[in-house]
Amino acid sequence: MNKLYVGNLSPSVTVEDLKQFFGENNLPVPDQVLLKSGYAFVDFPDQNSAIKAIESLSGKVELHGKVIEVDYSVPKKLRSRKIQIRNIPPHLQWEVLDGLLAQHGTVENVEQVNTDTETAVVNVTYSTKEEAKEAIEKLTGHQFDDYSFKVSYIADMDAAPPDQAPRTRRGGRLSRNQGASQPGPSGEFGAPRTTQQDLRIIVPTQYVGAIIGKEGLTIKNVTKQTQSKVDIHRKENAGAAEKPITIHSTPEGCSAACRMIMEIMQKEANETKAMEDIPLKIIASNNYIGRLIGKQGRNLKKIEEETGTKITISSLQDLNIYNNERTITVKGSLEACCNAEVEIMKKLREAYENDIAAINVTSAIPHQHAVCLPRSSTDVRRSGLFKPTFGMHLIKFKQEVAYLFIPTQAVGALIGKKGQHIKQLAHFAGASIKIAPAEMPDATERMVIITGTPEAQFKAQGRIFGKLKEENIFTGKEEVRLETHIKVPSTAAGRVIGKGGKTVNELQSLTSAEVIVPRDQTPDEKNEVVVKICGHFFANQTAQRKIREIIQQVKQQEQKHQQGAAVSPQHSK
């Protein structure tokens, strides 16, 4: 995997020349160099350094007057289904890349590689070597914005004869959830996955330069001293007066990095006499704000009193369907603000962890999306809608049917050329996906019937929402909102509605989805009625899960009642 081919070498190049050359270019000096006439094979200690060598040297640097070529050295017998794509724009969304990869075959796995480069790198496994070959041919040099993809084969050890496969290799493949660097909150590459465990702050744009420092030395010092990773999102909101910063670390590491950043800004402010005290601004999901504030504002008041700060939270009116975040502004001395940060983040992390624990029942939802879910998991539980039982853990294995309605103009894109896209989507999700015929010639919507487990539903529906966004079916920043129908037993419909509509109103409030249970429905042949759900993806999914949990509760109660009825005659004897 980490053996490189170095080509276009001058005949005068020696092994020592190569070793010295790598050292001069800030690369590990390889122990093993096999020099041939005009080329060499070099072993690197890890994938990261191998990628760095390819990116920094190939076609860019001369050795003895010749521009060298550097790429992976992969024997033909191992050039099978696995490829590596480099120079991916860090702002490219997963959904867009997925769609691009799917054009060339069925993708079994995509793993983002941790690197020191600004651009992203992924390892891709296709289902066949022919698909991988086509992807290399078609994606090499593919232009996206100002970036040109670079693609190489990487060793596919599954293709090696059994006696050549590493003995320590275990079954299974690394997925996006297993240790790989993940997209950020907007689904972008280039930063670790952001959750409420991380600390996100906003700083005045005028201080960004001071925080970074000359040649990045200041921010490097911050990350080194606090054992954290600090992402300064300079390119976001061009021209804005403030810029977001994400700190990835332990709670203690986040707080230490925040303190150092505040100190840097305060020092800069003092030198420029810009202002006395710089407020600390923390970004947090609205899902957790209520629990931060506490009943009648008690939590927030306590933090203010104990730290000597004044804390305000941005208005609910600033929220919309594509922005679920609010800004917590802390005013006071630098020391007071830093102390308040510790207490605020303690409350936010506690709320986040409670929600994660609650949604573990519906484990079909991939971990990287968990933080985006509304706080309904905890609050529904408090209201009595969510009562986990042993039987509910079995729901994730059951096949479900969902009816998703998409704009008619999106049907072609969803199906793809010769039906390839919908086939690949079905294979990826492990679901049956069928598009029903149009009810009328001028119908504006078409029904997509999805059958599969909760996990399959999440994957399939998520990709469909993403495809519609990718195809610009919804313009500008408009969030993709779709209507989904699910069928519930008529005996459970009343429970979904609740007394006086209480339950359905709570569902709508907690999930941000519109939930409609049409009254006076005539049950179908299976004695089921339709519940309509409308909203963006996470709202839609959360509402579906909550309604199905209610259905499960009703079924369990009916089973207990039937068992009790069957037992009672025996006791009467």
Side-chain angles (χ1 to χ4, degrees), residues 252-437:
E252 295 77 16
C254 287
S255 295
C258 177
R259 178 183 288 271
M260 289 187 72
I261 290 170
M262 290 290 290
E263 289 172 350
I264 292 165
M265 290 194 295
Q266 192 63 62
K267 181 181 178 182
E268 187 75 8
N270 293 340
E271 290 177 356
T272 58
K273 298 180 180 180
M275 60 178 73
E276 293 183 2
D277 292 324
I278 298 175
L280 170 63
K281 294 187 177 182
I282 300 171
I283 309 171
S285 169
N286 183 56
N287 304 334
Y288 313 122
I289 294 297
R291 283 168 283 179
L292 169 64
I293 296 172
K295 192 173 182 179
Q296 297 179 340
R298 289 173 188 166
N299 291 347
L300 216 54
K301 288 177 183 176
K302 184 179 179 183
I303 295 173
E304 287 181 322
E305 290 171 0
E306 291 180 350
T307 61
T309 57
K310 176 64 177 175
I311 304 173
T312 57
I313 298 175
S314 60
S315 172
L316 276 168
Q317 295 178 349
D318 296 338
L319 299 177
N320 51 54
I321 56 178
Y322 52 85
N323 174 36
N324 189 41
E325 294 179 324
R326 295 170 74 180
T327 302
I328 305 161
T329 302
V330 185
K331 293 184 178 180
S333 67
L334 190 149
E335 185 68 23
C337 287
C338 291
N339 291 338
E341 177 273 327
V342 173
E343 298 305 318
I344 289 169
M345 290 304 298
K346 188 183 296 182
K347 288 292 181 185
L348 294 175
R349 290 186 182 108
E350 181 183 297
Y352 166 78
E353 287 162 5
N354 286 341
D355 281 5
I356 291 298
I359 65 173
N360 276 342
V361 173
T362 53
S363 60
I365 300 176
H367 181 67
Q368 68 260 37
H369 296 301
V371 72
C372 301
L373 290 172
R375 64 187 178 106
S376 55
S377 303
T378 301
D379 288 350
V380 171
R381 182 174 54 187
R382 290 180 184 141
S383 68
L385 292 175
F386 184 81
K387 297 178 180 177
T389 64
F390 174 77
M392 284 179 62
H393 290 275
L394 302 178
I395 193 172
K396 62 184 178 183
F397 300 108
K398 186 178 178 182
Q399 294 285 309
E400 301 173 349
V401 182
Y403 306 86
L404 188 63
F405 290 82
I406 66 172
T408 300
Q409 68 264 35
V411 171
L414 181 59
I415 294 174
K417 189 177 181 181
K418 296 182 180 179
Q420 282 299 306
H421 185 267
I422 199 167
K423 287 179 184 176
Q424 290 161 5
L425 173 55
H427 177 80
F428 162 79
S432 167
I433 304 173
K434 298 178 180 178
I435 299 179

Side-chain angles (χ1 to χ4, degrees), residues 348-565:
L348 294 175
R349 290 186 182 108
E350 181 183 297
Y352 166 78
E353 287 162 5
N354 286 341
D355 281 5
I356 291 298
I359 65 173
N360 276 342
V361 173
T362 53
S363 60
I365 300 176
H367 181 67
Q368 68 260 37
H369 296 301
V371 72
C372 301
L373 290 172
R375 64 187 178 106
S376 55
S377 303
T378 301
D379 288 350
V380 171
R381 182 174 54 187
R382 290 180 184 141
S383 68
L385 292 175
F386 184 81
K387 297 178 180 177
T389 64
F390 174 77
M392 284 179 62
H393 290 275
L394 302 178
I395 193 172
K396 62 184 178 183
F397 300 108
K398 186 178 178 182
Q399 294 285 309
E400 301 173 349
V401 182
Y403 306 86
L404 188 63
F405 290 82
I406 66 172
T408 300
Q409 68 264 35
V411 171
L414 181 59
I415 294 174
K417 189 177 181 181
K418 296 182 180 179
Q420 282 299 306
H421 185 267
I422 199 167
K423 287 179 184 176
Q424 290 161 5
L425 173 55
H427 177 80
F428 162 79
S432 167
I433 304 173
K434 298 178 180 178
I435 299 179
E439 294 183 358
M440 296 180 293
D442 58 346
T444 58
E445 289 184 321
R446 292 282 291 276
M447 182 170 69
V448 182
I449 306 168
I450 306 169
T451 306
T453 63
E455 181 177 6
Q457 292 287 350
F458 186 94
K459 288 181 177 180
Q461 293 182 42
R463 287 291 179 91
I464 292 171
F465 273 77
K467 185 66 175 175
L468 268 58
K469 185 69 174 177
E470 177 190 334
E471 295 292 328
N472 294 318
I473 302 300
F474 292 75
T475 58
K477 290 187 176 181
E478 184 183 358
E479 189 70 31
V480 175
R481 292 175 62 87
L482 299 177
E483 184 173 306
T484 307
H485 292 182
I486 62 174
K487 291 185 177 181
V488 306
S490 59
T491 53
R495 284 283 297 275
V496 175
I497 296 171
K499 188 175 181 180
K502 180 182 178 182
T503 304
V504 75
N505 287 336
E506 286 182 340
L507 273 172
Q508 293 184 125
S509 173
L510 296 170
T511 67
S512 302
E514 183 181 5
V515 181
I516 302 172
V517 187
R519 296 181 182 275
D520 303 323
Q521 283 190 73
T522 302
D524 61 15
E525 65 278 3
K526 293 184 180 180
N527 199 30
E528 293 179 325
V529 295
V530 170
V531 174
K532 300 178 180 179
I533 304 165
C534 185
H536 59 76
F537 175 62
F538 292 109
N540 208 311
Q541 276 293 306
T542 310
Q544 289 181 50
R545 297 267 65 82
K546 297 304 158 197
I547 292 170
R548 293 196 190 276
E549 287 163 11
I550 293 171
I551 295 169
Q552 188 71 6
Q553 290 172 13
V554 172
K555 287 183 177 180
Q556 288 172 350
Q557 290 171 0
E558 289 175 347
Q559 288 172 0
K560 287 181 181 178
H561 180 74
Q562 290 170 1
Q563 290 170 357

